[in-house]
Amino acid sequence: DIQMTQSPSTLSASVGDIVTITCRAGQDIGDWLAWYQHKPGKAPRLLIYKASNLQTGVPSRFSGSGSGTEFTLTISSLQPDDLATYYCQQYKSYPYTFGQGTKLQIK
Amino acid sequence: EVHLLESGGGLVQPGGSLRLACEASGFTFKSYVMSWVRQAPGKGLEWVSAIIASGETTFYADSVKGRFTISRENSKNTLYLDMTSLRAEDTAMYYCAKPNYGVFDSWGQGTLVTVSS
């Protein structure tokens, strides 16, 4: 199985800050990586696919980068609505695996 | 618009069984791989199982292999998850998700399974 490791586990930032979340894969996954936003009581929401492609309808302050084993999700200007937990997911091969999540808190 | 509606969750004793269902609409169900993803209380997302469009091939997480069975009824646009030998650690919100080339672009609202005596 391909292990996905996110850092940090929790992150506190202020409105307007640039926020970066890192995801590391246990082996080369190319660019078969997605990022999701998950708010309590709601279904997860796809933000980024194929490492750097923005899903339709997602604000442009979200961006993704990386390939191989190192990936990042960046929020260019943090907004109050971005309070959520963020997950990376590899879909290079089954079993698909998620990172353990990064809980983003607004200062 | 894609709509996925899960049902069948509830309270079950350890060792018991439960069948989850997911009714799909808004897309050509019979053409898509479908998956189940779960989230235990206070934990992260965990992919559980997937089934190809025809239903002939299935995939499982090691944590549920041999206990859970995924299936589908394309004539009814419905996905199922049969869960047996349930354990406390299976307690979770179970989401039906539609992958698009592996990426989950549509999710249901989830159905809660609680395994407890």
Side-chain angles (χ1 to χ4, degrees):
Chain A
D1 298 4
I2 300 175
Q3 185 173 1
M4 306 300 293
T5 304
Q6 284 181 237
S7 61
S9 297
T10 60
L11 178 58
S12 184
S14 300
V15 172
D17 282 355
I18 298 173
V19 170
T20 299
I21 298 170
T22 298
C23 178
R24 179 177 290 114
Q27 65 187 71
D28 189 339
I29 60 169
D31 57 2
W32 301 108
L33 183 105
W35 289 96
Y36 300 87
Q37 177 190 66
H38 194 196
K39 296 182 178 181
K42 293 195 170 184
R45 176 194 186 193
L46 174 65
L47 300 175
I48 301 285
Y49 63 94
K50 222 154 183 298
S52 61
N53 292 272
L54 194 67
Q55 174 70 350
T56 302
V58 174
S60 59
R61 64 180 180 273
F62 291 93
S63 64
S65 64
S67 66
T69 61
E70 296 280 339
F71 303 87
T72 58
L73 173 70
T74 300
I75 308 173
S76 61
S77 178
L78 189 65
Q79 299 301 304
D81 188 52
D82 300 334
L83 172 67
T85 300
Y86 293 82
Y87 295 92
C88 60
Q89 176 229 336
Q90 68 80 19
Y91 54 104
K92 177 176 173 58
S93 64
Y94 286 115
Y96 291 167
T97 42
F98 290 88
Q100 79 277 18
T102 294
K103 187 173 183 179
L104 179 56
Q105 299 169 323
I106 311 295
K107 283 181 184 175
Chain B
E1 181 185 359
V2 173
H3 191 58
L4 300 170
L5 181 63
E6 302 94 337
S7 62
L11 176 63
V12 61
Q13 292 188 339
S17 300
L18 210 57
R19 176 179 244 204
L20 306 184
C22 170
E23 292 183 48
S25 60
F27 65 104
T28 308
F29 179 77
K30 64 182 180 181
S31 298
Y32 284 87
V33 172
M34 293 295 295
S35 273
W36 290 97
V37 177
R38 69 183 181 183
Q39 183 180 34
K43 302 292 186 180
L45 298 173
E46 180 188 17
W47 174 84
V48 173
S49 183
I51 184 168
I52 68 169
S54 68
E56 291 178 351
T57 302
T58 57
F59 304 89
Y60 298 94
D62 287 345
S63 58
V64 306
K65 199 173 295 182
R67 300 187 300 121
F68 289 12
T69 301
I70 190 171
S71 62
R72 62 193 298 159
E73 200 162 353
N74 287 341
S75 63
K76 294 185 176 180
N77 289 348
T78 301
L79 175 73
Y80 301 101
L81 186 68
D82 288 294
M83 305 184 295
T84 64
S85 301
L86 283 162
R87 307 165 180 168
E89 54 265 36
D90 295 317
T91 294
M93 182 71 77
Y94 284 74
Y95 295 98
C96 170
K98 170 186 158 292
N100 188 8
Y101 296 102
V103 178
F104 300 112
D105 62 355
S106 299
W107 300 68
Q109 288 302 307
T111 187
L112 182 62
V113 172
T114 303
V115 184
S116 175
S117 55

